[in-house]
Amino acid sequence: MRKQISTILLVSASCGTVATAQTNLNFNTSNVFSFDHAFHSPGAIAFPQRLQGAVGTQWLFAGLAGDDLRSSLGNLIYPLGDNSAVGLRAAYFASRLFQQGAYSVLFGQKFFDDRLGIGINANLLSYAYDRNNFTPDFDLDDPVLARGASKSAFSFGLGFFFQPSWRFALGASVDHLNRPDIAIGNTDFKKHPVFKMGVLFNSTAFSPQFDLQLENREVALQGSVRKS
């Protein structure tokens, strides 16, 4: 199965790097120097102490699904002095029939001589169906779309980052704490909170990292090693 994977340009005050697009993001909460940590926890965004950002897009299963499935992302982190930072992030999925977006504002603050970071984020979630592309035999008066073909909702999350020494870092976050109602129709469907936790062990050669994500009883585990 072939994918067309775009590159992501990481814009930083001091460096540039490349990585894969949104659907291949790991759920990293403990490596503050990874371009994607703002997508997983606001608790660590104040630690790099530099302007950084990323933009990218990815076409999913191009030529296979019979649809133009596209996933895009962008983020920006701006330091406020030595101990705090604000951030913006956006993730967007689009197809002929359905579009979904998540747009967030983040704030992070460091405490105790750069050992602890705490952050918050507010999210705008959007979901929409394009009824112009429905099949001709679909009933547009179906109760599923009785309230229209789009829905927006707000949610918020928290994150923290703990780094007692350069050799060890622990990060965790929870998003969508208020369980917003994201149902488009007459049903009552609430988004489940997403819990993430990761640990990173730094060394002079290689640094292993382990992560866990929990959403509605679904558990995902991840392990990786990066060159220090």
Side-chain angles (χ1 to χ4, degrees):
M1 184 179 299
R2 299 181 61 186
K3 293 184 180 180
Q4 294 182 358
I5 303 179
S6 69
T7 59
I8 293 181
L9 175 64
L10 174 62
V11 182
S12 172
S14 59
C15 66
T17 188
V18 295
T20 51
Q22 178 193 353
T23 56
N24 290 328
L25 288 179
N26 57 20
F27 29 94
N28 163 56
T29 58
S30 58
N31 181 4
V32 299
F33 296 105
S34 176
F35 82 98
D36 63 343
H37 74 272
F39 285 95
H40 309 291
S41 173
I45 65 172
F47 279 79
Q49 294 184 338
R50 65 190 185 198
L51 178 68
Q52 65 182 53
V55 292
T57 191
Q58 180 180 21
W59 281 265
L60 310 175
F61 308 106
L64 180 66
D67 196 354
D68 182 19
L69 307 179
R70 187 175 69 258
S71 180
S72 304
L73 64 84
N75 74 7
L76 178 68
I77 298 175
Y78 185 83
L80 300 175
D82 295 332
N83 296 309
S84 60
V86 293
L88 300 173
R89 70 186 184 198
Y92 182 74
F93 171 82
S95 69
R96 292 181 61 252
L97 295 178
F98 179 70
Q99 297 83 42
Q100 174 181 326
Y103 314 96
S104 307
V105 178
L106 306 89
F107 176 79
Q109 178 75 37
K110 292 190 299 184
F111 301 92
F112 306 117
D113 297 326
D114 296 353
R115 289 184 173 86
L116 176 67
I118 298 177
I120 59 174
N121 60 276
N123 315 300
L124 171 62
L125 311 177
S126 66
Y127 305 85
Y129 288 93
D130 190 345
R131 291 191 288 190
N132 294 327
N133 291 323
F134 284 6
T135 58
D137 56 349
F138 185 86
D139 183 8
L140 294 180
D141 295 324
D142 191 286
V144 173
L145 301 177
R147 294 184 180 179
S150 63
K151 181 66 177 289
S152 297
F154 290 95
S155 73
F156 68 92
L158 303 171
F160 87 94
F161 178 79
F162 180 57
Q163 184 174 264
S165 71
W166 77 272
R167 290 188 176 275
F168 173 77
L170 173 68
S173 69
V174 56
D175 214 349
H176 315 304
L177 270 170
N178 57 321
R179 298 195 64 192
D181 182 5
I182 59 174
I184 292 179
N186 290 316
T187 59
D188 183 18
F189 184 80
K190 297 184 180 297
K191 188 167 184 62
H192 294 280
V194 180
F195 299 89
K196 299 177 184 179
M197 184 173 69
V199 58
L200 174 70
F201 300 94
N202 278 310
S203 69
T204 56
F206 296 95
S207 299
Q209 178 178 333
F210 303 94
D211 296 275
L212 177 147
Q213 176 176 288
L214 174 63
E215 181 178 3
N216 190 26
R217 302 178 184 176
E218 295 183 0
V219 179
L221 298 173
Q222 174 182 276
S224 62
V225 177
R226 69 180 179 88
K227 189 177 184 304
S228 298

